[in-house]
Amino acid sequence: MLQKGSINLYTLKQKGMESMQVNFVTIHDPRHQGYVKYKLDHILIIIMAAVLCGLDELCTITEFANNKAEFFRKNFGIESIPSKPTFSRILSIIDGKEVATAILEIMKEKVTGREEIIAIDGKAICSTTQKNKSHSALQIISAYLTESGVILGQEKINNKTNEIPVLQEMLSYLNVENKIITADAMHCQRETCKIITEKKGDYVIGLKANQKALYEDVKLYFENPPADFKPEIYTTKEKSHGRIEKRVCKKVSEISWLKERHNWVGLESVFSIERTITEGKGTSKETSYYISSKNVSAEKLLNIAREHWKIESLHWLLDVVFNEDESKYASENAHITLNAMRKLALLKHKSYLSDKKKKPSLKGNMFKALLNEKLLLEIISA
């Protein structure tokens, strides 16, 4: 239920920003309500606005909030600005998963219904690694609609497990019907493929030595093909900044022998992508192998595989734009909350730049939003 007077909803509706307040106000506030001075949704809106401007450290969030006090009063009905310790305490005690879920609901408003590919991948936040425990960093696995840039779901990975069971858990609640799930070779698992196909989805998954027998059979089939080997071949070549990248996709669907030998759920085709990169330092070549439940053209399979790289690009942007790997928060809740806010910020900026047909950098647009309050409101509304 909405808290009366929490924010001027009429003003927000005028500006197309009501979804942020509506979702934030539903988040459970763990504080004793008799001692609450600053409303939880107010605090989250201030932090989200700071993140939209490229800020997510406590000192810069606090300075930003104080500098923009009139902005928050006028546009959001926030009458007083919390202190740095208050921001810190809230980020520590609030349920990060609950905040992330609320943010994902905001993102889902951008889903068009036409999207076909859901890329799933995990990212570690390196600064959370515990001393002398190399695999202890907080990891978050995300399901990403590659066309719209919307996160459909995300889960933290407990340091006592790995991505595989967490992805399978995500598939239990994700609607994957008529969607194509892409994932790296770690997720080349019979159970994962079974869940996807049972839910009427399809998969395109990388293949490596974690499935040794299947990998070696497919690799040998492409490297030393039989006399009747007739793959469908599709080639692309791109040149940019003195770098030439050639991709050759070879796809085979006549694989009854492979199905019989491995009994892999839903398997309909296998394909390879050979990448040759030529630049000033010379030429390099690598070949990747994939399995799929889709029997479509080599061109289509290459495009699907390339779509998966978009989630890797998202993770790269979290580090380049926000320096996420160096984030110094002690609380896991803070990391999960800010990770979701960063993802929403990237989506909001991309939506704004796309609508305005502008091409400045994301980081540059964040800096402009920091200086220009009208622009910040437009980005919040994007």
Side-chain angles (χ1 to χ4, degrees), residues 290-347:
Y290 301 82
I291 62 171
S292 179
S293 61
K294 298 283 286 183
N295 183 9
V296 293
S297 68
E299 178 181 5
K300 176 71 171 176
L301 289 171
L302 175 59
N303 289 336
I304 293 170
R306 293 191 69 189
E307 281 292 292
H308 183 76
W309 301 339
K310 288 184 178 179
I311 193 170
E312 296 175 2
S313 175
L314 167 69
H315 291 162
W316 179 80
L317 285 170
L318 290 174
D319 286 333
V320 171
V321 176
F322 292 105
N323 203 21
E324 183 172 76
D325 272 347
E326 300 300 322
S327 183
K328 300 300 183 183
Y329 288 90
S331 164
E332 186 176 272
N333 279 322
H335 284 291
I336 294 172
T337 294
L338 289 167
N339 172 268
M341 286 186 169
R342 292 172 190 128
K343 289 170 179 172
L344 177 58
L346 291 173
L347 177 63

Side-chain angles (χ1 to χ4, degrees), residues 130-246:
Q130 299 173 31
K131 189 175 182 180
N132 300 322
K133 295 182 180 180
S134 58
H135 298 290
S136 60
L138 171 65
Q139 296 183 68
I140 298 174
I141 187 169
S142 304
Y144 183 70
L145 275 173
T146 61
E147 182 179 335
S148 63
V150 169
I151 303 291
L152 291 178
Q154 71 173 47
E155 298 286 344
K156 75 168 186 176
I157 300 169
N158 190 294
N159 58 18
K160 294 182 179 179
T161 184
N162 59 44
E163 287 187 28
I164 296 168
V166 179
L167 180 147
Q168 293 171 358
E169 179 187 344
M170 289 179 70
L171 289 172
S172 70
Y173 64 78
L174 288 175
N175 179 10
V176 302
E177 186 174 355
N178 299 320
K179 305 293 186 187
I180 302 169
I181 304 299
T182 69
D184 62 26
M186 176 189 297
H187 298 291
C188 190
Q189 307 287 332
R190 280 185 172 84
E191 182 61 23
T192 299
C193 294
K194 178 184 177 184
I195 295 170
I196 293 169
T197 54
E198 285 179 346
K199 296 192 71 175
K200 300 181 181 180
D202 284 290
Y203 60 81
V204 171
I205 299 180
L207 179 60
K208 287 186 178 178
N210 62 310
Q211 293 293 339
K212 186 176 180 181
L214 179 60
Y215 172 73
E216 288 181 349
D217 279 351
V218 171
K219 186 172 184 285
L220 182 64
Y221 187 55
F222 281 96
E223 290 185 345
N224 298 285
D228 61 350
F229 182 69
K230 294 181 180 179
E232 179 186 342
I233 301 175
Y234 179 74
T235 302
T236 65
K237 183 181 284 189
E238 296 177 0
K239 184 175 182 180
S240 178
H241 304 291
R243 182 177 185 269
I244 300 173
E245 182 169 354
K246 180 181 178 182

